[in-house]
Amino acid sequence: AALSMPVQELGLATTIAAAVLHLGRTAEAATVWAVCEVGFDELSWTPDGEAGELYEAVRASLDDDALAAGRKEAVQMGMERGLAWVGQVARGED
């Protein structure tokens, strides 16, 4: 049960990454995606089904430079702070 809440948040964050990318906000999309990557790694969980497909599709749409910058920010934030930031992005607060 303790694992389900972060996994659900990461699934939602994956959707947010796709939405932000669709809006053309590539740098933010890369960071949101990287927060998901950090979280999935921390939980030793690989997204599957629709979430997994979306996660891979967003990854495939980002270039290496954007991913590198996003990963740097995500690692500095960590999963918890990163997910809080993703919420701010989704609400238009950042």
Side-chain angles (χ1 to χ4, degrees):
L3 180 66
S4 67
M5 191 165 159
V7 167
Q8 290 170 345
E9 288 183 45
L10 289 167
L12 183 57
T14 300
T15 303
I16 293 166
V20 172
L21 181 62
H22 182 74
L23 293 172
R25 293 160 49 188
T26 306
E28 285 175 310
T31 303
V32 173
W33 183 89
V35 166
C36 296
E37 181 182 54
V38 166
F40 292 138
D41 287 350
E42 190 172 309
L43 298 174
S44 299
W45 186 76
T46 303
D48 56 3
E50 287 182 28
E53 290 173 16
L54 189 56
Y55 179 76
E56 291 303 322
V58 171
R59 164 61 185 98
S61 298
L62 297 167
D63 66 35
D64 290 342
D65 290 340
L67 283 171
R71 284 176 169 141
K72 183 177 178 182
E73 288 187 51
V75 167
Q76 289 173 349
M77 288 188 279
M79 182 175 69
E80 188 174 328
R81 280 186 46 230
L83 286 172
W85 175 81
V86 170
Q88 291 175 331
V89 169
R91 291 187 300 273
E93 297 172 3
D94 188 67

